[in-house]
Amino acid sequence: MTLALLLGTLLALAFAGVPLVFALLAAALVTLLVTRPGLPLELVPQFFIQGMDNFPLLAIALFFLAGEFMVAAGVTQRILGFAQALVGHLRGGLAQVGIVASFIMAGISGSAVADAAAVGSVLIRSMVKAGYPAGFAAALVETASILGPIIPPSIPMIIYAVLAGVSVGGIFLAGVVPGILIALGLGVAVYIRAGQLDLPRTPRAGGRTVLRETGNAFFALLAPVIIVGGIRGGVFTPTEAGAIAALYVLLIGILVYRGIGPREIGGSLVRAAHGTASVLVVLGASSIFAWIIADQGISRDFAALITGSGAPVWLLILLFNLLFLAVGMFLDPIAALIILVPLMVPLLPGLGLDPIQFGVMIVLNLMIGLCTPPVGYLIFITSSLGDVPAGQVIRHSLPFLAVLLAVLLLVSYVPAVTLTLPALVKGG
């Protein structure tokens, strides 16, 4: 009854176009008034503030800022130039460039939407001018951009870690191997499709060109090395890594690339503040949502129902994936995490599932949801950048989605894919 009222009100308001934060607050208030009529409503703003008052969440603001500085400094163009010199000669060269660029950019921003906008705004038009189908170009950028939340740092993984009470650094490291597998799989898919579509090839860059482009992008390439290496080496925490990333990108933008001035700094601060606020108010509202689930024993009852069903674990994992994919097709990833994590995490000990592996699994599902209709933010961003109908983007993205689903199966059923690297770092 409580869960039906809570989720029913939330989904009804969300589909009616009510902004997510207000839909969450209204659903929580309606549920409290019905199920706990004597409860002081002063608790609502207290929970709202507590939901945002969490030190690891500071990393979200800092990585948003690092991403904004990255765009303002012209880092994207230098990374694309480096990737072009490195893999541009391969079959489907410009598409391979997009994969490499997205992989590198993922180590700075942590956001799929930011990566799609940064890479797509430059690369999609270049691919179309070179003779690539516009739908193919947009589909490649769309699917490659989900590397942003898989390769550390990752904003959705920070949110999962806070909601699930797991190590941010641990789940960051757990995303490295799946991210590499996605990049390699997309590269193979591009190579095959390039042959089928007879896509143009570019000459291999000479050694001098490779050295020049490496030099141009050197300081940009150091950013993900500093971030991931610092976290892995225990030099700083993931939150501190966000501050260092923002400061580093700002310094190279001012001193090396000379693309950032007072106006760009001001604009970046405003955009980062806006992006951060839009996430934090949702998390504040979600804390009331999560408290209701805990107070009413919904997660406990749900866990007892699932573990008592007698279904084999492999089947439950499959059903979870289908559920996450379905939710990701309709809901924003942050909203989906808020709804699913408090319900699902209590199940994990009884099923023998590691919460770090589970976190990568749920985030990857929700990112795939960004590439599928009807919501599909990434579809509409890249179709707009490429001036191509969304239907063409969807059709061309099918081979790439097959790669993402294959990696999802590995993440779900082969724990070593996600847990080996965190275990090695912890053991070291």
Short mmCIF file of all heavy atoms in Angstrom, two decimals, residues 79 82 103-108 151-153 173 217-236 241 244-245 248-249:
data_model
loop_
_atom_site.label_atom_id
_atom_site.label_comp_id
_atom_site.label_asym_id
_atom_site.label_seq_id
_atom_site.Cartn_x
_atom_site.Cartn_y
_atom_site.Cartn_z
N ILE A 79 42.30 16.90 -27.43
CA ILE A 79 42.14 15.46 -27.27
C ILE A 79 41.72 14.82 -28.58
O ILE A 79 42.20 13.74 -28.96
CB ILE A 79 41.13 15.16 -26.15
CG1 ILE A 79 41.73 15.53 -24.79
CG2 ILE A 79 40.72 13.70 -26.16
CD1 ILE A 79 40.79 15.38 -23.63
N PHE A 82 44.76 14.57 -30.82
CA PHE A 82 45.62 13.46 -30.40
C PHE A 82 45.03 12.12 -30.85
O PHE A 82 45.74 11.26 -31.39
CB PHE A 82 45.78 13.49 -28.88
CG PHE A 82 46.38 12.25 -28.30
CD1 PHE A 82 47.74 12.01 -28.42
CD2 PHE A 82 45.60 11.33 -27.64
CE1 PHE A 82 48.32 10.85 -27.90
CE2 PHE A 82 46.15 10.17 -27.10
CZ PHE A 82 47.52 9.94 -27.23
N PHE A 103 36.78 8.17 -24.24
CA PHE A 103 37.47 7.43 -23.17
C PHE A 103 38.35 8.37 -22.35
O PHE A 103 38.36 8.32 -21.12
CB PHE A 103 38.31 6.31 -23.79
CG PHE A 103 38.94 5.40 -22.78
CD1 PHE A 103 38.27 4.28 -22.33
CD2 PHE A 103 40.21 5.64 -22.30
CE1 PHE A 103 38.84 3.43 -21.40
CE2 PHE A 103 40.80 4.80 -21.37
CZ PHE A 103 40.11 3.68 -20.91
N ILE A 104 39.07 9.24 -23.04
CA ILE A 104 39.96 10.18 -22.34
C ILE A 104 39.15 11.22 -21.58
O ILE A 104 39.42 11.53 -20.41
CB ILE A 104 40.92 10.86 -23.33
CG1 ILE A 104 41.84 9.81 -23.98
CG2 ILE A 104 41.76 11.92 -22.62
CD1 ILE A 104 42.65 10.35 -25.13
N MET A 105 38.13 11.77 -22.24
CA MET A 105 37.30 12.79 -21.60
C MET A 105 36.58 12.25 -20.37
O MET A 105 36.32 12.97 -19.41
CB MET A 105 36.26 13.32 -22.59
CG MET A 105 36.85 13.98 -23.82
SD MET A 105 37.12 15.72 -23.62
CE MET A 105 35.48 16.34 -23.69
N ALA A 106 36.26 10.94 -20.40
CA ALA A 106 35.57 10.32 -19.27
C ALA A 106 36.39 10.42 -18.00
O ALA A 106 35.84 10.43 -16.90
CB ALA A 106 35.27 8.85 -19.58
N GLY A 107 37.71 10.47 -18.15
CA GLY A 107 38.57 10.55 -16.98
C GLY A 107 38.63 11.93 -16.37
O GLY A 107 39.39 12.15 -15.42
N ILE A 108 37.83 12.87 -16.90
CA ILE A 108 37.82 14.23 -16.36
C ILE A 108 36.43 14.63 -15.89
O ILE A 108 36.27 15.14 -14.79
CB ILE A 108 38.32 15.25 -17.41
CG1 ILE A 108 39.72 14.85 -17.94
CG2 ILE A 108 38.36 16.65 -16.83
CD1 ILE A 108 40.21 15.71 -19.07
N ILE A 151 33.93 5.08 -16.62
CA ILE A 151 35.33 5.34 -16.28
C ILE A 151 35.37 6.36 -15.15
O ILE A 151 34.65 7.35 -15.17
CB ILE A 151 36.08 5.91 -17.52
CG1 ILE A 151 36.11 4.87 -18.65
CG2 ILE A 151 37.49 6.35 -17.16
CD1 ILE A 151 37.00 3.68 -18.39
N PRO A 152 36.19 6.14 -14.12
CA PRO A 152 36.27 7.15 -13.05
C PRO A 152 36.89 8.45 -13.53
O PRO A 152 37.77 8.40 -14.39
CB PRO A 152 37.16 6.46 -11.99
CG PRO A 152 37.97 5.46 -12.76
CD PRO A 152 37.08 5.00 -13.89
N PRO A 153 36.43 9.59 -12.99
CA PRO A 153 35.39 9.74 -11.98
C PRO A 153 33.99 9.62 -12.59
O PRO A 153 33.83 9.78 -13.80
CB PRO A 153 35.62 11.16 -11.47
CG PRO A 153 36.14 11.89 -12.67
CD PRO A 153 37.01 10.89 -13.40
N LEU A 173 37.11 2.44 -9.05
CA LEU A 173 38.05 1.47 -9.62
C LEU A 173 37.31 0.31 -10.29
O LEU A 173 37.78 -0.25 -11.29
CB LEU A 173 38.97 0.94 -8.53
CG LEU A 173 39.98 1.95 -7.98
CD1 LEU A 173 40.70 1.37 -6.77
CD2 LEU A 173 40.99 2.34 -9.05
N ALA A 217 48.35 17.88 -26.68
CA ALA A 217 47.35 17.34 -25.74
C ALA A 217 47.97 16.85 -24.44
O ALA A 217 47.26 16.33 -23.59
CB ALA A 217 46.58 16.20 -26.41
N PHE A 218 49.28 17.00 -24.28
CA PHE A 218 49.99 16.36 -23.17
C PHE A 218 49.38 16.70 -21.82
O PHE A 218 49.08 15.83 -20.99
CB PHE A 218 51.47 16.75 -23.18
CG PHE A 218 52.25 16.20 -22.02
CD1 PHE A 218 52.62 14.86 -22.00
CD2 PHE A 218 52.60 17.02 -20.96
CE1 PHE A 218 53.33 14.35 -20.93
CE2 PHE A 218 53.32 16.52 -19.88
CZ PHE A 218 53.68 15.18 -19.87
N PHE A 219 49.17 17.99 -21.56
CA PHE A 219 48.66 18.39 -20.25
C PHE A 219 47.21 17.95 -20.05
O PHE A 219 46.80 17.64 -18.93
CB PHE A 219 48.80 19.90 -20.06
CG PHE A 219 50.22 20.35 -19.92
CD1 PHE A 219 50.92 20.87 -21.01
CD2 PHE A 219 50.89 20.22 -18.72
CE1 PHE A 219 52.24 21.27 -20.89
CE2 PHE A 219 52.21 20.62 -18.58
CZ PHE A 219 52.90 21.14 -19.67
N ALA A 220 46.44 17.92 -21.15
CA ALA A 220 45.07 17.41 -21.04
C ALA A 220 45.07 15.92 -20.73
O ALA A 220 44.26 15.43 -19.93
CB ALA A 220 44.31 17.67 -22.35
N LEU A 221 46.00 15.17 -21.35
CA LEU A 221 46.06 13.74 -21.11
C LEU A 221 46.52 13.41 -19.69
O LEU A 221 46.21 12.33 -19.17
CB LEU A 221 47.04 13.09 -22.11
CG LEU A 221 46.64 13.19 -23.59
CD1 LEU A 221 47.75 12.65 -24.48
CD2 LEU A 221 45.35 12.42 -23.84
N LEU A 222 47.23 14.33 -19.08
CA LEU A 222 47.69 14.09 -17.71
C LEU A 222 46.54 14.15 -16.70
O LEU A 222 46.64 13.56 -15.62
CB LEU A 222 48.75 15.13 -17.31
CG LEU A 222 50.20 14.84 -17.64
CD1 LEU A 222 51.09 15.94 -17.10
CD2 LEU A 222 50.62 13.49 -17.07
N ALA A 223 45.47 14.85 -17.03
CA ALA A 223 44.38 15.05 -16.07
C ALA A 223 43.80 13.73 -15.56
O ALA A 223 43.74 13.50 -14.35
CB ALA A 223 43.30 15.95 -16.67
N PRO A 224 43.34 12.82 -16.47
CA PRO A 224 42.82 11.55 -15.94
C PRO A 224 43.87 10.72 -15.23
O PRO A 224 43.55 9.98 -14.30
CB PRO A 224 42.28 10.84 -17.19
CG PRO A 224 42.89 11.52 -18.36
CD PRO A 224 43.17 12.92 -17.93
N VAL A 225 45.13 10.82 -15.66
CA VAL A 225 46.20 10.08 -14.97
C VAL A 225 46.35 10.57 -13.54
O VAL A 225 46.48 9.77 -12.59
CB VAL A 225 47.53 10.25 -15.73
CG1 VAL A 225 48.67 9.58 -14.97
CG2 VAL A 225 47.43 9.65 -17.14
N ILE A 226 46.31 11.89 -13.36
CA ILE A 226 46.42 12.47 -12.01
C ILE A 226 45.22 12.06 -11.15
O ILE A 226 45.38 11.65 -9.99
CB ILE A 226 46.52 14.00 -12.10
CG1 ILE A 226 47.86 14.40 -12.73
CG2 ILE A 226 46.36 14.64 -10.72
CD1 ILE A 226 47.96 15.88 -13.06
N ILE A 227 44.03 12.13 -11.72
CA ILE A 227 42.82 11.82 -10.96
C ILE A 227 42.80 10.36 -10.52
O ILE A 227 42.70 10.03 -9.33
CB ILE A 227 41.56 12.16 -11.78
CG1 ILE A 227 41.47 13.66 -12.03
CG2 ILE A 227 40.30 11.66 -11.07
CD1 ILE A 227 40.42 14.04 -13.06
N VAL A 228 42.90 9.45 -11.51
CA VAL A 228 42.80 8.02 -11.21
C VAL A 228 44.03 7.55 -10.43
O VAL A 228 43.92 6.79 -9.45
CB VAL A 228 42.63 7.20 -12.50
CG1 VAL A 228 42.56 5.71 -12.18
CG2 VAL A 228 41.37 7.63 -13.24
N GLY A 229 45.21 8.01 -10.84
CA GLY A 229 46.43 7.60 -10.15
C GLY A 229 46.47 8.08 -8.71
O GLY A 229 46.91 7.36 -7.81
N GLY A 230 45.99 9.31 -8.48
CA GLY A 230 45.97 9.84 -7.12
C GLY A 230 45.03 9.07 -6.21
O GLY A 230 45.35 8.79 -5.05
N ILE A 231 43.85 8.71 -6.75
CA ILE A 231 42.90 7.92 -5.96
C ILE A 231 43.45 6.53 -5.70
O ILE A 231 43.42 6.01 -4.58
CB ILE A 231 41.54 7.84 -6.68
CG1 ILE A 231 40.90 9.22 -6.79
CG2 ILE A 231 40.60 6.88 -5.95
CD1 ILE A 231 39.66 9.25 -7.65
N ARG A 232 43.99 5.91 -6.76
CA ARG A 232 44.51 4.55 -6.64
C ARG A 232 45.69 4.50 -5.67
O ARG A 232 45.84 3.56 -4.88
CB ARG A 232 44.94 4.04 -8.01
CG ARG A 232 45.43 2.58 -8.00
CD ARG A 232 46.96 2.53 -8.10
NE ARG A 232 47.45 1.16 -8.04
CZ ARG A 232 47.84 0.55 -6.94
NH1 ARG A 232 47.74 1.15 -5.78
NH2 ARG A 232 48.31 -0.68 -6.97
N GLY A 233 46.54 5.53 -5.69
CA GLY A 233 47.71 5.54 -4.82
C GLY A 233 47.44 6.01 -3.42
O GLY A 233 48.35 6.05 -2.58
N GLY A 234 46.19 6.39 -3.13
CA GLY A 234 45.85 6.85 -1.79
C GLY A 234 46.37 8.24 -1.48
O GLY A 234 46.42 8.65 -0.31
N VAL A 235 46.76 8.99 -2.53
CA VAL A 235 47.28 10.34 -2.32
C VAL A 235 46.16 11.28 -1.89
O VAL A 235 46.35 12.16 -1.05
CB VAL A 235 47.97 10.85 -3.60
CG1 VAL A 235 48.49 12.27 -3.39
CG2 VAL A 235 49.09 9.91 -4.01
N PHE A 236 44.99 11.10 -2.48
CA PHE A 236 43.84 11.92 -2.09
C PHE A 236 42.56 11.13 -2.27
O PHE A 236 42.53 10.11 -2.97
CB PHE A 236 43.78 13.24 -2.88
CG PHE A 236 44.17 13.13 -4.33
CD1 PHE A 236 43.34 12.51 -5.25
CD2 PHE A 236 45.36 13.67 -4.78
CE1 PHE A 236 43.69 12.43 -6.59
CE2 PHE A 236 45.73 13.59 -6.11
CZ PHE A 236 44.88 12.97 -7.02
N ALA A 241 40.07 14.61 -5.17
CA ALA A 241 40.44 14.48 -6.59
C ALA A 241 39.63 15.45 -7.44
O ALA A 241 40.15 15.99 -8.43
CB ALA A 241 40.21 13.04 -7.06
N ILE A 244 41.27 18.84 -7.11
CA ILE A 244 42.54 18.86 -7.84
C ILE A 244 42.29 18.90 -9.35
O ILE A 244 42.97 19.61 -10.09
CB ILE A 244 43.40 17.65 -7.44
CG1 ILE A 244 43.89 17.83 -5.99
CG2 ILE A 244 44.58 17.46 -8.38
CD1 ILE A 244 44.50 16.62 -5.38
N ALA A 245 41.29 18.13 -9.81
CA ALA A 245 40.97 18.13 -11.24
C ALA A 245 40.53 19.51 -11.70
O ALA A 245 40.98 20.01 -12.74
CB ALA A 245 39.87 17.11 -11.52
N TYR A 248 43.56 21.86 -11.63
CA TYR A 248 44.52 21.51 -12.68
C TYR A 248 44.04 21.99 -14.05
O TYR A 248 44.79 22.61 -14.81
CB TYR A 248 44.75 20.01 -12.68
CG TYR A 248 45.68 19.54 -13.78
CD1 TYR A 248 47.06 19.65 -13.64
CD2 TYR A 248 45.18 19.00 -14.97
CE1 TYR A 248 47.92 19.23 -14.65
CE2 TYR A 248 46.03 18.58 -15.98
CZ TYR A 248 47.38 18.70 -15.82
OH TYR A 248 48.23 18.29 -16.82
N VAL A 249 42.78 21.69 -14.36
CA VAL A 249 42.25 22.09 -15.68
C VAL A 249 42.21 23.61 -15.79
O VAL A 249 42.49 24.18 -16.85
CB VAL A 249 40.86 21.48 -15.91
CG1 VAL A 249 40.27 21.97 -17.23
CG2 VAL A 249 40.93 19.96 -15.91
#
